[in-house]
């Protein structure tokens, strides 16, 4: 059985400022670096075979900090990228309440499909391994929705640097 430890990246400058990041690279802030270091210390003695990150900087940076004591190279994949928020990207999140969604936001169907592809990729590529994957709030929610076969609204939001375990 493959064990997937699904993590969210550390806090970023945009998280702290309530800016919709979407598929922008993002930059860990001081707190986010501390969160990643704390996670690294908590996981330093736990066996990990593979560490995967979204191909966005904020996830890669978090994954590299976690990977340091394991001496593992971080594998990246676009499948774990955050949802593309289109015209909402870069906007102040509280200002978006009640706005009509632009047509260029990644559809829920595409997001869930990508989440399913990610699960299939992990199962096929790393069978029987312990895999820690650093993603983002919404894609991680989608991965769990597919895994548990539940609507995304029933999946609790993940905090920065939180980890959840899925047995594939």
């Amino acid at each position: 059985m493959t064990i997937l430890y699904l993590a969210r990246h550390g806090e970023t400058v945009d998280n702290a400022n309530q800016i919709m990041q979407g598929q922008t690279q993002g930059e860990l802030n001081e707190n986010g670096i501390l969160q990643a270091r704390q996670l690294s210390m908590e996981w330093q003695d736990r066996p990990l075979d593979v560490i995967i990150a979204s191909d966005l900087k904020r996830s890669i940076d978090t994954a590299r900090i976690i990977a340091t004591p394991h001496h593992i190279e971080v594998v990246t994949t676009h499948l774990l990228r955050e949802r593309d928020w289109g015209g909402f990207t870069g906007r102040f999140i509280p200002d978006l309440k009640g706005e009509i969604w632009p047509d260029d936001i990644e559809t829920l169907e595409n997001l869930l499909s990508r989440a399913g592809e990610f699960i299939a990729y992990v199962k096929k590529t790393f069978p029987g391994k312990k895999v820690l994957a650093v993603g983002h709030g919404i894609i991680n929610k989608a991965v769990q929705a597919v895994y548990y076969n539940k609507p995304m609204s029933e999946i609790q939001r993940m905090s920065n640097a939180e980890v959840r375990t899925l047995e594939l």
Side-chain angles (χ1 to χ4, degrees):
M1 172 186 346
T2 302
I3 307 294
L4 175 62
Y5 301 108
L6 190 62
R8 184 175 175 204
H9 62 78
E11 185 181 69
T12 65
V13 173
D14 284 348
N15 289 148
N17 291 317
Q18 298 185 64
I19 301 298
M20 184 69 80
Q21 292 176 101
Q23 295 190 356
T24 61
Q25 294 299 321
E27 188 70 42
L28 295 179
N29 64 15
E30 214 173 290
N31 188 45
I33 292 167
L34 288 173
Q35 289 171 333
R37 286 182 181 151
Q38 178 66 37
L39 201 53
S40 178
M41 288 189 325
E42 289 170 12
W43 283 75
Q44 68 185 357
D45 296 324
R46 294 183 71 171
L48 291 175
D49 300 305
V50 180
I51 298 179
I52 302 173
S54 145
D55 62 352
L56 298 175
K57 184 179 185 328
R58 60 195 187 265
S59 286
I60 294 169
D61 290 348
T62 301
R64 284 185 177 148
I65 292 169
I66 297 166
T68 301
H70 295 277
H71 308 289
I72 299 174
E73 285 295 316
V74 174
V75 176
T76 61
T77 177
H78 71 282
L79 295 173
L80 208 49
R81 271 187 170 211
E82 183 57 294
R83 186 175 192 177
D84 184 349
W85 288 104
F88 279 174
T89 302
R91 303 253 326 264
F92 185 57
I93 293 169
D95 287 349
L96 302 176
K97 189 173 180 135
E99 281 203 27
I100 296 171
W101 283 32
D103 292 336
D104 59 353
I105 290 177
E106 181 178 11
T107 66
L108 192 55
E109 294 76 24
N110 283 354
L111 179 70
L112 291 168
S113 173
R114 195 158 47 85
E117 285 178 55
F118 173 72
I119 290 171
Y121 160 74
V122 171
K123 285 168 72 170
K124 181 180 179 194
T125 312
F126 309 108
K129 302 287 186 188
K130 290 178 173 50
V131 179
L132 186 133
V134 182
H136 308 268
I138 303 300
I139 186 63
N140 285 4
K141 211 174 196 197
V143 168
Q144 293 171 85
V146 169
Y147 176 81
Y148 291 112
N149 193 27
K150 291 184 172 184
M152 284 182 56
S153 61
E154 291 183 21
I155 305 298
Q156 190 172 15
R157 180 182 181 273
M158 289 180 76
S159 301
N160 290 106
E162 180 182 342
V163 181
R164 296 193 183 155
T165 304
L166 309 178
E167 298 177 351
L168 307 182

